[in-house]
């Protein structure tokens, strides 16, 4: 073979000549859902990109690999444990269906080992993707020096490197709050710890009543734990309250205990390693000892030591999140924020991913497409799953006026449950909220029942396309499914007629 020295290397793409005074075009702080998606897209579009991701250990010392909250301590392990727990839920069903199943006994460690094995493959996958996409990865904690300069620190706080970038994306997400309650940091777990705990004792207190709290309480109970939930005020703040109460009612019927109107005041370790909880219930001081306590009282934006103020970035005084405009841009022209750290946006993985991807396309791909934060669907993975898209009933009433809103609803029992004595009568429920003043346009869909997320995804598309009640009525249901209930609604709440279904 002869070698053509004249053309040697001609196929190798040359590094573009950089005219920028900065080392990088795009520096992404945070390797979670939003940061990874944005960094990879920007690099694919030809930008010179670096990403820093560093996990500060939880107060209990838990830390994890690349991928952020969703992959390591959020959606993924949560859904896997929810899935695992459903076998506990189905245990009685199986027997009624004729399966002669073994003793009902769950092995926590085996489940956790398998969950963590899966997460390790995802961590590795993200590392490989960054290499493939030519994104420089720094496993360092980033801090801003000014609006173009980032300092990278190791775990001991020593500066290892200083880099400059034309654009900076803040995608640092959030971390669980311990509420400043005495003893909480030392005695309690959070969702940062739960999914990798080698063992989980029997009697568990879950503090908080929002979606992370109820989801964790739900799967812990189905995994044979004795679960109590401490509720300060309402269930699932921000969600439709009618639906939220139904979620909690189902959980209570299953045997999960709720302490209402209650807040913890202090936590203390007992000599035998349990946790003594001092709390107030309906104004009265009480004390109870639990084997373990899970704090799920909300999350704080992880902006505390980021020194964003050195770059002049404005944060919300209430939440510590970055205030952004409709383009995910902060008040500093070249500093952007997506995901959980962006003020006023839904804290959901697909939202962070889409916002990060669109931002990169606008910055480096000539796109003008903005992220649409309206009608974002979501699911609460409680024992009976709840999914929704669009307005809650309360918000629809406020936005359009109660007299202009019609709510169609049904309470039903999935066909499969009809021959199972252990399953409650109409515990599943669906409602569709329409605007009478706008051709009965559907402004909200809510569904409580098995596989709720799978049910809602397609309906979310139809909401985007301007679904009306007439179109829903024309749509043929798939029989016999739970999702078809949404196509068959003819009872309005206003009519006062019972929503309970009697036949097919
Ligand atoms: P994150 O994924 O949090 O990533 C931020 C990254 O930045 C982290 O790795 C962090 O360590 C790193 N970082 C922080 N500061 C620095 C710094 N100074 N330097 C370098 N790196 C830094 N969403 C859903 O859509 N569906 C669900 O079912 C769901 N379930 C959830 C369950 C739980 C228990 C939790 C906690 C969350 C859940 N979420 C769910 C929410 C979802 O996980 C978040 O919305 C999503 O992860 C946000 O992505 P992000 O990119 O904004 O931040
Ligand atoms: P949320 O949605 O912020 O909810 C926090 C829950 O914890 C809520 O029920 C609060 O009650 C309760 N809470 C807050 N502080 C306390 C104290 N001090 N004592 C007892 N109970 C308390 O948090 P999540 O973690 O579920 O979710 C965080 C985000 O992640 C959320 O936006 C999702 O989209 C994703 P309240 O209703 O305020 O009385």
């Amino acid at each position: 073979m002869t070698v053509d020295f004249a053309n040697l290397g001609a196929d190798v793409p040359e590094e573009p000549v950089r005219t920028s005074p900065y080392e990088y075009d795009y520096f992404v702080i945070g390797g979670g859902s939003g940061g990874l998606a944005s960094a990879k897209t920007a690099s694919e579009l030809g930008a010179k990109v670096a990403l820093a991701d560093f996990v500060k250990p939880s107060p209990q010392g838990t830390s994890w690999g690349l991928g952020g909250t969703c992959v390591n301590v959020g959606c993924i392990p949560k859904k896997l444990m929810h899935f695992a727990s459903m076998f506990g839920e189905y245990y009685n069903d199986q027997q009624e269906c004729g399966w002669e199943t073994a003793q009902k006994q769950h092995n926590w460690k085996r489940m956790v080992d398998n969950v963590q094995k899966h997460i390790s493959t995802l961590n590795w996958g993200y590392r490989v993707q960054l290499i493939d996409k030519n994104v420089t990865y720094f496993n360092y904690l980033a801090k801003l020096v000014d609006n173009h300069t980032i300092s990278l620190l190791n775990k001991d706080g020593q500066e290892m490197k200083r880099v400059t970038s034309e654009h900076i994306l803040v995608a640092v997400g959030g971390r669980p709050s311990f509420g400043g309650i005495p003893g909480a940091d030392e005695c309690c777990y959070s969702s940062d710890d739960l999914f990798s705990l080698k063992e989980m004792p029997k009697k568990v207190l879950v503090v908080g009543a929002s979606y992370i709290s109820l989801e964790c309480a739900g799967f812990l109970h189905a995994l044979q734990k004795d679960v109590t939930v401490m509720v300060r005020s309402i269930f699932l703040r921000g969600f439709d309250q009618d639906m939220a109460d139904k979620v909690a009612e189902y959980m209570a019927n299953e045997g999960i205990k709720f302490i209402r109107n209650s807040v913890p005041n202090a936590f203390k370790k007992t000599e035998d390693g349990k946790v003594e909880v001092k709390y107030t219930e309906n104004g009265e001081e009480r004390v109870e000892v639990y084997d373990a306590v899970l704090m799920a009282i909300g999350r704080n934006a992880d902006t505390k030591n980021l020194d964003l103020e050195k770059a002049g970035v404005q944060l919300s005084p209430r939440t510590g999140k970055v205030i952004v405009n409709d383009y995910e841009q902060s008040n500093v022209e070249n500093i952007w924020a997506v995901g959980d750290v962006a003020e006023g946006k839904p804290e959901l993985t697909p939202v962070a991913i889409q916002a990060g991807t669109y931002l990169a396309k606008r910055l480096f791909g000539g796109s003008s497409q903005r992220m649409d934060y309206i009608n974002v669907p979501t699911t609460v993975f409680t024992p009976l799953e709840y999914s929704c898209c669009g307005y809650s009933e309360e918000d629809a009433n406020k936005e359009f006026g109660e007299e202009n809103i019609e709510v169609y609803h049904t309470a039903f029992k999935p066909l499969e449950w009809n021959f199972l004595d252990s399953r409650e009568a109409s515990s599943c429920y669906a409602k569709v909220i329409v605007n009478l003043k706008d051709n009965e346009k559907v402004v909200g869909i809510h569904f409580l029942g098995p596989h709720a997320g799978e049910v809602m995804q397609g309906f979310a598309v139809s909401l985007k396309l301007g679904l009306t009640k007439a179109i829903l009525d024309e749509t043929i249901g798939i029989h016999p499914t739970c999702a078809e209930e949404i196509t068959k609604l003819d009872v309005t709440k206003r009519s006062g007629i019972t929503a309970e279904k009697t036949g097919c």
Side-chain angles (χ1 to χ4, degrees), residues 253-325:
N253 288 342
E254 286 216 312
I256 295 172
K257 288 164 268 183
F258 290 99
I259 313 179
R260 301 295 304 264
N261 302 316
S262 182
V263 285
N265 301 321
F267 301 93
K268 202 169 85 185
K269 275 258 180 230
T270 62
E271 273 174 15
D272 53 356
K274 297 182 179 190
V275 185
E276 181 192 273
V277 184
K278 288 200 168 116
Y279 64 100
T280 310
E281 183 184 1
N282 289 317
E284 302 230 341
E285 294 284 318
R286 295 186 195 280
V287 183
E288 180 68 63
V289 174
Y290 292 90
D291 296 337
V293 178
L294 178 73
M295 290 294 270
I297 60 165
R299 296 172 61 81
N300 297 328
D302 201 1
T303 48
K304 207 165 159 210
N305 297 310
L306 206 51
D307 286 352
L308 284 166
E309 60 282 7
K310 289 199 176 154
V313 176
Q314 207 185 336
L315 302 180
S316 156
R318 191 178 65 83
T319 61
K321 294 187 178 193
V322 179
I323 296 173
V324 289
N325 63 17

Side-chain angles (χ1 to χ4, degrees), residues 348-388:
L348 293 166
T349 278
V351 170
I353 292 176
Q354 186 120 318
T357 305
Y358 283 6
L359 171 62
K361 286 184 177 171
R362 289 198 304 274
L363 287 175
F364 304 107
S367 163
S368 58
Q369 191 167 16
R370 274 192 284 162
M371 170 74 192
D372 180 5
Y373 291 96
I374 307 294
N375 289 339
V376 171
T378 187
T379 295
V380 181
F381 292 95
T382 34
L384 196 55
E385 296 173 11
Y386 163 44
S387 67
C388 58

Side-chain angles (χ1 to χ4, degrees), residues 96-397:
E96 285 189 69
C97 289
W99 289 99
E100 284 167 12
T101 41
Q103 199 197 351
K104 188 176 181 184
Q105 182 64 48
H106 184 254
N107 183 329
W108 174 274
K109 185 174 177 301
R110 183 153 186 211
M111 174 188 71
V112 167
D113 286 349
N114 285 332
V115 167
Q116 289 302 319
K117 210 178 344 165
H118 176 61
I119 291 174
S120 299
T121 64
L122 297 176
N123 296 146
W124 175 247
Y126 285 119
R127 292 288 284 264
V128 173
Q129 281 175 18
L130 289 183
I131 296 167
D132 279 355
K133 305 270 180 199
N134 213 14
V135 174
T136 306
Y137 169 54
F138 296 106
N139 185 203
Y140 290 133
L141 192 70
K143 259 178 199 253
L144 292 204
V145 177
D146 60 44
N147 70 323
H148 286 289
T149 313
I150 303 113
S151 164
L152 296 168
L153 315 171
N154 69 8
K155 65 177 175 17
D156 302 319
Q158 284 170 317
E159 182 172 282
M160 304 306 287
K161 206 170 165 52
R162 212 168 247 233
V163 295
T164 60
S165 179
E166 181 164 3
H167 294 280
I168 296 172
L169 174 64
V170 181
V172 294
R175 295 298 290 267
S177 160
F178 285 83
I181 301 162
D185 285 26
E186 304 89 71
C187 301
C188 303
Y189 297 122
S190 72
S191 53
D192 280 357
D193 311 298
L194 177 64
F195 306 109
S196 56
L197 284 178
K198 289 290 175 219
E199 58 182 297
M200 189 67 184
K202 180 83 183 166
K203 187 179 170 189
V204 185
L205 174 71
V206 180
V207 185
S210 197
Y211 101 83
I212 292 174
S213 154
L214 296 191
E215 287 182 341
C216 295
F219 71 66
L220 287 171
H221 171 76
L223 294 171
Q224 301 186 300
K225 305 303 170 194
D226 170 9
V227 178
T228 303
V229 180
M230 189 172 278
V231 184
R232 178 166 74 177
S233 56
I234 57 171
F235 295 106
L236 297 178
R237 183 176 294 284
F239 288 88
D240 186 291
Q241 282 302 293
D242 179 23
M243 302 300 293
D245 287 343
K246 289 183 198 304
V247 168
E249 190 185 321
Y250 185 89
M251 292 173 72
N253 288 342
E254 286 216 312
I256 295 172
K257 288 164 268 183
F258 290 99
I259 313 179
R260 301 295 304 264
N261 302 316
S262 182
V263 285
N265 301 321
F267 301 93
K268 202 169 85 185
K269 275 258 180 230
T270 62
E271 273 174 15
D272 53 356
K274 297 182 179 190
V275 185
E276 181 192 273
V277 184
K278 288 200 168 116
Y279 64 100
T280 310
E281 183 184 1
N282 289 317
E284 302 230 341
E285 294 284 318
R286 295 186 195 280
V287 183
E288 180 68 63
V289 174
Y290 292 90
D291 296 337
V293 178
L294 178 73
M295 290 294 270
I297 60 165
R299 296 172 61 81
N300 297 328
D302 201 1
T303 48
K304 207 165 159 210
N305 297 310
L306 206 51
D307 286 352
L308 284 166
E309 60 282 7
K310 289 199 176 154
V313 176
Q314 207 185 336
L315 302 180
S316 156
R318 191 178 65 83
T319 61
K321 294 187 178 193
V322 179
I323 296 173
V324 289
N325 63 17
D326 291 346
Y327 297 86
E328 285 82 30
Q329 188 176 33
S330 77
N331 62 312
V332 177
E333 204 185 17
N334 68 313
I335 300 187
W336 312 80
V338 296
D340 288 6
V341 77
E343 174 73 358
K345 311 296 185 205
E347 294 183 11
L348 293 166
T349 278
V351 170
I353 292 176
Q354 186 120 318
T357 305
Y358 283 6
L359 171 62
K361 286 184 177 171
R362 289 198 304 274
L363 287 175
F364 304 107
S367 163
S368 58
Q369 191 167 16
R370 274 192 284 162
M371 170 74 192
D372 180 5
Y373 291 96
I374 307 294
N375 289 339
V376 171
T378 187
T379 295
V380 181
F381 292 95
T382 34
L384 196 55
E385 296 173 11
Y386 163 44
S387 67
C388 58
C389 185
Y391 284 87
S392 66
E393 203 176 322
E394 300 84 341
D395 287 350
N397 284 337

